[in-house]
Amino acid sequence: MTPLIGVENLHKTYGSGATACEALRGVSLDIAEGESLAIVGKSGSGKSTLMHLLALLDRPTSGTITLDGADTAALSRKELNRTRNQAFGFVFQQFFLNASASVLDNVTLPLMIAGQSARTRNTQAMAALAQLGLEDKAHNKAKDLSGGQMQRVVICRALINQPRVIFADEPTGNLDSATGATVENILFDLNREQGITLVVVTHDEDVAARCDRRIVIRDGLLWTGEQVAA
Amino acid sequence: MKPVDIVRTAFGNAFRAKLRTSLTVLAIIIGAFTLSLTNGIGTGINNYISDTVAGIGVDDVMTVTKTSERAGFDTGPAEYDPNQLAAGEGGPHGGPGPVVGLTSDDIDTIAGVEGVIRVAPVKNVSLDYVQHGNGKKYQLSLSQFAPGMRAELAAGSQIDLEAHEAQIVLPEPYLEPLGFTTADAAVGREVTLAVTNVTGAQTTTTATIVGVAAPGIVSVAGAIPNDVLLNTLFDLQSVGAAPGTADLFASASVWFDANAGDAATTALQKRLSDAGFTATTLADQLGTMTSVIDVIVMVLSGFAVIALLAASIGIVNTLYMAVQERTREVGLMKAMGLSSARVFALFSVEAVVIGLLGSALGVAAAVVVGKAASAALANSVLSAMPGLSIVAFNPLTVALVVLGVMALAFLAGTMPALRAAKQDPIASLRYE
């Protein structure tokens, strides 16, 4: 079966000449549709770089990334934008909400970028907010929410375009353990119940342990030593 | 992202930093206000000139003079022509230097040119003085009137050119010196006019005052005689002249079909020129006047444009700050699939919104202030020039100012917008 995302001998070098920095030095892995994958590693190990490449936010120096078996290097800028807009959802540690805009406007951003009408956007946003119990906050400003509520709004925003993959970069990094656990539960529920593939970059051992699979990145390489030593 | 969403978002973004945007908008308001006001003054004065055009000529008459060889730096001195008139007698439109007069034969030649409907010689009369009763004598010049012309009157009626008795319209400033208490008191009274003939003897004739001309910036400078008075004065002035030289006219008025279009008028001027004459239409004469005003307005507008350029640097600054502030937001939107072109559009439209607000408010302020100022001035300083509204607004010019400022704002916005468009989403998301 073709993996959803296939990675083959991925290299990524930042800079050039004497100051060149090799962030990834030949990583290969497959991500199956519907699985949850934890990418674990120390800071500077290259795990964020790997996620950015998987999410098509950046192009590798060498190596291939396939999506549904098709080489993404062949995609035009426009097709890359459309793929990220329609197939991916993003959850970042720092939320990246527009503080002065309403919750509704924040959540509908991906649909507005996609060019949907205001009516469709609002209907879908209300459904996504209801799913996470935030429908009464729709018209509040984002800055008036608590940290846990903000991260739930971010998840709503990632969900609204019904993505195939959600990329989460330290999703619970800024939350206390109780709210962190709630957010975790939401993400894993989405993975289990809606079959959305989950790719989580994390330091958090608990989050990594709940994933179907975890990979460890060390010095730009996939570390195949004993799995518990992260 | 749909265009309507881009505009809506840009509008909202423009007011995220209210104070900063307001100050930038204020700078544009000042520039747009000044530009609209200087244009308004130009429009006001030019409107006044065209409204009072009937006072200085009618548009189907051109003034024809004999083309003279002027001494130029490269053509050498002009040959003497026995028909040249002495310097200073060049008539209303002759420049400095001698002007070659038109003979009766020339008048016939002009009448024969294709397109000329009627030709009449302009008889130039130099008055010695004007006198009322036994009062003091004052110098006075005469202006020529063609049928259809109209003077701004303070009292009385327009001159009847075809009347059988000698009539005159006097300029208002002559009333008090001549001993009239009011303009109405002067109407119907008689004044004495004196000319010196060729032999050097002074003779006088009388004329009835039918009207008093109000002063205006472009209206006639001297008194207006009717045909009977003019012919009488011209004949008195020509007494003793050698045969043939009496009928020497500085210029002639030529009537033509003004409705035939500019091309026909130009063709007629060309034909007259080929025949050795110089023809000037009212449009030509007005053109010099309006072009002087246009140049003044252009210089003033230049200053306003400089103010606008300075304001547009404010737009550049404001947008650079906005791009800086929204680095992560832009990164996020790009990560979510927003194209660079749309990011560019988002910031350019924001610049245009600032330009639109500033110019619309500036133009509106200029209209309000301009109307108030011209109303106030018309009742005080400019009350001597009825009909002059010093500031007038032409919808097309106003629209051009608004559109021009929007275009300028767009240009100012391109640099910051390009920076935003070029941002790398990953670097932007890491930006602290």
Side-chain angles (χ1 to χ4, degrees), chain A residues 14 52 57-58 77 81 84-85 90 92 94 96 98 100 109-110 112-117 121 157, chain B residues 1-2 5 8-9 13 16 328-329 332-340 424-426 429-430 432:
Chain A
Y14 292 109
H52 292 147
L57 287 169
D58 206 353
R77 211 174 259 274
N81 281 336
R84 284 203 307 274
N85 184 257
F90 295 93
F92 297 99
Q94 304 94 325
F96 297 137
N98 181 347
S100 57
L109 189 58
M112 184 162 86
I113 291 170
Q116 305 271 13
S117 73
R121 298 198 304 245
R157 185 176 66 191
Chain B
M1 206 168 172
K2 286 183 178 173
D5 286 321
R8 214 172 52 91
T9 309
N13 284 347
R16 295 242 301 257
R328 296 207 298 188
E329 194 181 320
L332 180 78
M333 289 171 93
K334 291 186 104 175
M336 287 177 172
L338 190 65
S339 67
S340 297
D424 169 39
I426 299 168
L429 288 172
R430 283 210 202 98
E432 291 304 324

Side-chain angles (χ1 to χ4, degrees), chain A residues 6 44-46 56 62 92 101 125 141 145 160-161 180 185 193-194 196 199 218:
Chain A
S45 61
L56 306 179
S62 67
F92 297 99
K141 289 206 166 162
L145 301 179
I160 194 166
N161 54 352
N185 288 337
E193 288 161 18
Q194 300 186 21
I196 298 175
V199 177
R218 187 183 263 187

Side-chain angles (χ1 to χ4, degrees), chain A residues 84-123:
Chain A
R84 284 203 307 274
N85 184 257
Q86 292 177 356
F88 297 165
F90 295 93
V91 175
F92 297 99
Q93 181 181 5
Q94 304 94 325
F95 311 143
F96 297 137
L97 290 172
N98 181 347
S100 57
S102 72
V103 166
L104 193 65
D105 285 347
N106 271 292
V107 170
T108 52
L109 189 58
L111 295 183
M112 184 162 86
I113 291 170
Q116 305 271 13
S117 73
R119 179 190 296 247
T120 319
R121 298 198 304 245
N122 291 347
T123 319

